[in-house]
Amino acid sequence: MRIVCGPCMQARDEDADYSKQLDREIKHWIRPYDQAIKLLLLGTGESGKTTIIKQMKILHVQGFSQSERIEKVKYIRHNVHESIHDILFNMAPLGISLRNPKNHDAYRFILKCGPDGPPEYNEEYYDFVRSLWKDSGVRECFRRSNEYQLIDSAEYFLDRLDLLQKSDYIPSDADILRCRQKTTGIQKIEFKVKVPKSMAGGVQDFWMFDVGGQRGERKKWIQVFEGIHAIWFVVACSDFDQTLREDNSQNRLKEALVLFEDVWQSRFLLTAGLIVFLNKQDLLERKISAGRSVGDYFPAYRTYKPEADEHTRTKLFIRSMFADLTTKKQARQNMAASAERFRVVEASRPRECYFHFTTATDTDNVRTVFRDVHQIILTHILTNIGVY
Ligand SMILES: Nc1nc2c(ncn2[C@@H]2O[C@H](COP(=O)(O)OP(=O)(O)OP(=O)(O)O)[C@@H](O)[C@H]2O)c(=O)[nH]1
Ligand SMILES: [Mg+2]
């Protein structure tokens, strides 16, 4: 009996020892990453990168202080002005006129202020804006805003003039998430997140970098590529019928596809995990319900097969366009010898790209997505260092 069982017991003891050793190794491997997992948000202008940073502040830091909220008031009021100004400015070029003749003074006043805003955001100013926003000519021009440049939060703020006008107005989280300020340069946020017990437990540091997405900003990106563990590539799916703010001859979604392919193939980012946030699902759904079709801009949609409602079909179609780029034969195979070491990694492990449908202004949605993504990033890091 002892003779038979001896080797088995020994094997079990060895298994247990090996398992303990593996646990220790995993913890050892994870520890350096506990100190800082570096994430980089990339994507075209207005795709929602900074909005995700704001959500991390709400979810994982202490949210916004009273003084930070007060600081935002001037930007929100400026968002009101740029919204109404840009709508009115585009009425004549689109051949749309005011329906209520009493609004002519207000119209002239707002345009005279120029894009920077009025000398003072006083009662008269808000009365003008309120009256114009009720004008059905102004609404018609607003509905055609894909034909010119208008911030996504125009309707949100113009619907809340009574609140924003108050002298003691303090922006809510929702207002701050909607506030639009273009990013220039590189910003960083640090936060800690609990690691699931199944993945070694403890607390982990994240450094998240935000960059500006407009063309002029992208040359700065390379400065933060070093040591990045995962890229979050943000796409505004509702952009399919809009052109770039910085180049009105280029479709925004086509620009996102070109940029994504550059990022996917960048030899500087080959070891970084890639997670695509197919963002602005709320706005996409609204556009589809209003009768817009991605097929008018991407004819391949007309023969796209899945049987589903239009919003589902559209979001799956957009995802398929990005996914197809990840399976395309890699241009980097022709790259110089300096890329040689990356190819070895690639050949031994096929590279994965993960997709999530998101609405970055919705905190619950971002909380859920972050949970999944955290798991993916940890697995990716462990895979890359050969633990899994
Ligand atoms: N409705 C809606 N609005 C969104 C969503 N994501 C972002 N926005 C809004 O879109 C606008 C642009 O978002 P930002 O986060 O500033 O975009 P960005 O990618 O940082 O833009 P750059 O700094 O120019 O690169 C803001 O007004 C956001 O509130 C979304 O999912 N739904
Ligand atoms: Mg930004």
Side-chain angles (χ1 to χ4, degrees):
M1 188 83 165
R2 218 185 290 156
I3 297 164
V4 178
C5 289
C8 290
M9 296 269 295
Q10 195 186 340
R12 235 179 272 145
D13 285 350
E14 276 172 9
D15 274 358
D17 284 351
Y18 178 68
S19 165
K20 270 189 202 150
Q21 183 196 337
L22 202 61
D23 266 4
R24 270 197 302 274
E25 269 176 26
I26 290 175
K27 282 191 178 133
H28 167 77
W29 279 116
I30 294 174
R31 197 168 304 125
Y33 296 102
D34 276 358
Q35 284 154 22
I37 286 188
K38 293 186 200 151
L39 304 179
L40 172 60
L41 284 156
L42 297 180
T44 54
E46 292 172 81
S47 53
K49 300 178 292 300
T50 304
T51 310
I52 288 174
I53 291 275
K54 290 176 189 169
Q55 293 283 18
M56 294 302 120
K57 201 166 152 65
I58 292 169
L59 290 169
H60 302 298
V61 194
Q62 261 141 29
F64 300 99
S65 67
Q66 188 79 349
S67 64
E68 283 170 322
R69 287 176 199 276
I70 290 168
E71 169 72 17
K72 289 284 176 203
V73 172
K74 62 174 182 285
Y75 297 106
I76 290 175
R77 291 195 172 138
H78 185 253
N79 277 183
V80 169
H81 182 74
E82 61 180 317
S83 300
I84 195 69
H85 175 272
D86 293 351
I87 297 171
L88 299 186
F89 188 81
N90 284 286
M91 287 178 74
L94 293 179
I96 303 168
S97 34
L98 292 168
R99 298 288 190 275
N100 182 351
K102 286 189 189 144
N103 280 332
H104 277 291
D105 282 351
Y107 173 86
R108 273 192 294 271
F109 176 83
I110 300 291
L111 285 183
K112 212 169 147 225
C113 291
D116 291 342
E120 202 189 333
Y121 285 90
N122 54 21
E123 210 176 318
E124 185 194 25
Y125 174 83
Y126 285 108
D127 287 346
F128 278 157
V129 178
R130 205 180 338 267
S131 171
L132 285 162
W133 184 229
K134 283 186 191 142
D135 191 294
S136 51
V138 173
R139 292 296 179 128
E140 188 192 333
C141 191
F142 165 70
R143 272 191 294 279
R144 290 176 58 184
S145 63
N146 65 310
E147 295 175 49
Y148 56 96
Q149 303 300 331
L150 181 68
I151 59 168
D152 278 316
S153 302
E155 186 178 22
Y156 179 88
F157 288 128
L158 290 170
D159 279 347
R160 286 167 177 75
L161 293 174
D162 292 352
L163 179 71
L164 309 187
Q165 176 174 8
K166 290 187 176 147
S167 57
D168 57 354
Y169 164 60
I170 304 282
S172 64
D173 283 353
D175 298 347
I176 293 175
L177 288 164
R178 297 293 185 137
C179 176
R180 163 68 184 155
Q181 278 172 269
K182 171 182 149 178
T183 306
T184 53
I186 295 161
Q187 328 244 332
K188 178 182 162 207
I189 178 174
E190 294 182 22
F191 55 91
K192 292 180 196 298
V193 178
K194 274 192 180 163
V195 183
K197 280 219 173 72
S198 59
M199 308 211 68
V203 172
Q204 179 168 60
D205 280 291
F206 277 87
W207 290 2
M208 196 178 266
F209 296 89
D210 183 21
V211 293
Q214 286 192 9
R215 283 183 184 171
E217 289 294 311
R218 294 182 208 154
K219 55 187 175 299
K220 302 175 192 164
W221 290 8
I222 193 135
Q223 296 169 34
V224 267
F225 283 177
E226 180 80 38
I228 290 294
H229 296 110
I231 306 285
W232 289 10
F233 191 90
V234 189
V235 178
C237 292
S238 54
D239 272 359
F240 70 81
D241 62 351
Q242 292 172 240
T243 59
L244 292 183
R245 204 172 272 275
E246 62 270 37
D247 171 7
N248 67 12
S249 68
Q250 169 71 323
N251 176 283
R252 286 192 185 203
L253 190 54
K254 286 185 183 155
E255 179 87 350
L257 286 157
V258 171
L259 187 62
F260 173 74
E261 192 172 8
D262 283 352
V263 168
W264 176 253
Q265 298 204 358
S266 165
R267 68 191 170 93
F268 301 106
L269 297 171
L270 280 178
T271 54
L274 196 45
I275 297 158
V276 180
F277 284 30
L278 296 164
N279 192 36
K280 300 200 183 176
Q281 287 301 319
D282 59 330
L283 295 177
L284 178 68
E285 193 168 5
R286 283 180 67 177
K287 275 194 178 172
I288 303 300
S289 329
R292 307 264 171 89
S293 173
V294 74
D296 295 340
Y297 304 85
F298 296 84
Y301 179 70
R302 299 200 188 110
T303 52
Y304 186 64
K305 285 278 176 281
E307 295 272 320
D309 62 87
E310 277 311 294
H311 174 222
T312 309
R313 247 184 102 216
T314 306
K315 70 187 203 184
L316 293 178
F317 172 73
I318 293 174
R319 183 178 68 183
S320 74
M321 287 198 290
F322 283 90
D324 286 352
L325 294 175
T326 66
T327 53
K328 216 167 123 180
K329 204 160 167 45
Q330 307 293 309
R332 61 173 170 267
Q333 295 208 334
N334 302 322
M335 273 182 183
S338 60
E340 203 65 30
R341 68 189 177 92
F342 294 120
R343 246 187 276 157
V344 176
V345 175
E346 222 191 355
S348 59
R349 295 179 203 284
R351 206 168 159 220
E352 299 250 26
C353 181
Y354 299 88
F355 292 90
H356 279 276
F357 297 110
T358 59
T359 293
T361 44
D362 176 346
T363 306
D364 289 338
N365 176 248
V366 175
R367 182 187 289 112
T368 311
V369 170
F370 184 83
R371 229 176 270 145
D372 289 355
V373 164
H374 184 187
Q375 193 99 6
I376 291 169
I377 293 166
L378 281 174
T379 310
H380 172 82
I381 289 171
L382 297 180
T383 306
N384 253 12
I385 59 180
V387 174
Y388 283 174

